[in-house]
Amino acid sequence: MITEDTKVLVDKGIMLPLMEEFYTIQGEGFYKGTAAYFIRIGGCDVGCHWCDVKESWDATMHPPTHIGKIVENAVSYSDTIVITGGEPLTWDMTILTETLKTQGCKVHIETSGAYKLTGVWDWICLSPKKMKLPTEEICAVANELKVIVYNAHDLIFAEEQAARVNENCILYLQPEWSKRDKVVPMIVDYVMKNPKWKVSLQTHKYLNIP
Ligand code: SF4
């Protein structure tokens, strides 16, 4: 049972519902292959049917944790920190990211971009979802656009989102894991015909690491 006092601290971003944290290799996108400490924050109501972290959705299942403790753990492992979820922008990321920055960390986010952008970021990976589209605000500053491809229609969606992001944003198509056998040939063919896109794979799953 979460007290009212704790709820206030979570609302302010002084505590956050921490689902898990782990040191691993970033498997996807621009920083694939890079050692990084992942902080997975609970809470997401975007509702992707293929979501592979559905257990993150209900924030009340994850203990509100003081950001001082989260930062202390993170900096003992790495100076590259990836904030993921769930949907981390469900919460105010200002205090967590500012505190990590004061410790000299590079702070990355993986987000659907559906909610107000808070926090200070060295890298924004925008992975837009059809159910809740990203805001104009985040399209203007995203460093990479990573569209998950589950079926052919997602390529149309990818182009719609590519038209919204800033000109420096790097464009990735990534197969949804359960459909990879069917989707990879489609993505390979599409990227060769449309080389502004790059292929991203969930290499951590091939490596059998978190
Ligand atoms: S936005 Fe991410 S965490 Fe939320 S449902 Fe979609 S894939 Fe899952």
Side-chain angles (χ1 to χ4, degrees):
M1 184 69 180
I2 295 173
T3 66
E4 269 309 305
D5 288 351
T6 299
K7 190 173 175 310
V8 169
L9 293 174
V10 171
D11 288 344
K12 289 181 175 172
I14 295 170
M15 298 179 87
L16 291 167
L18 179 65
M19 178 176 165
E20 58 179 347
E21 48 185 346
F22 48 93
Y23 185 44
T24 188
I25 306 292
Q26 167 63 285
E28 309 175 2
F30 184 79
Y31 280 96
K32 65 183 171 299
T34 303
Y37 192 79
F38 277 65
I39 298 170
R40 189 182 301 285
I41 306 294
C44 183
D45 66 357
V46 175
C48 308
H49 64 91
W50 43 257
C51 179
D52 59 0
V53 279
K54 288 191 169 108
E55 59 281 17
S56 72
W57 291 5
D58 183 356
T60 65
M61 300 299 290
H62 307 294
T65 307
H66 199 283
I67 57 113
K69 182 70 186 158
I70 298 174
V71 171
E72 184 185 335
N73 286 345
V75 301
S76 70
Y77 284 91
S78 181
D79 58 6
T80 300
I81 312 296
V82 180
I83 312 293
T84 188
E87 173 44 71
L89 294 180
T90 304
W91 315 102
D92 189 337
M93 288 287 121
T94 307
I95 298 174
L96 175 61
T97 55
E98 285 180 350
T99 308
L100 286 165
K101 297 287 285 177
T102 63
Q103 297 292 310
C105 295
K106 292 195 168 45
V107 191
H108 302 186
I109 186 171
E110 310 251 343
T111 177
S112 68
Y115 297 107
K116 180 177 166 50
L117 179 60
T118 54
V120 278
W121 304 101
D122 294 288
W123 193 262
I124 295 175
C125 173
L126 171 60
S127 186
K129 305 298 183 318
K130 290 175 183 168
M131 287 68 70
K132 283 188 195 286
L133 294 175
T135 64
E136 294 300 324
E137 180 188 27
I138 201 158
C139 288
V141 295
N143 299 102
E144 66 175 288
L145 176 72
K146 184 174 71 189
V147 179
I148 310 304
V149 180
Y150 184 85
N151 57 33
H153 185 267
D154 291 328
L155 297 174
I156 298 169
F157 176 69
E159 291 294 352
E160 289 168 357
Q161 300 311 304
R164 298 181 61 206
V165 294
N166 66 83
E167 63 182 5
N168 296 318
C169 190
I170 304 168
L171 307 179
Y172 290 104
L173 297 173
Q174 178 172 295
E176 195 279 322
W177 181 251
S178 70
K179 295 286 178 191
R180 62 191 182 282
D181 290 347
K182 192 171 164 198
V183 165
V184 163
M186 189 169 71
I187 290 179
V188 168
D189 181 60
Y190 193 82
V191 169
M192 286 196 290
K193 288 178 179 150
N194 301 275
K196 70 180 181 185
W197 292 96
K198 297 175 189 291
V199 178
S200 173
L201 298 174
Q202 291 183 294
T203 56
H204 53 295
K205 293 192 177 179
Y206 291 98
L207 294 170
N208 202 22
I209 56 175

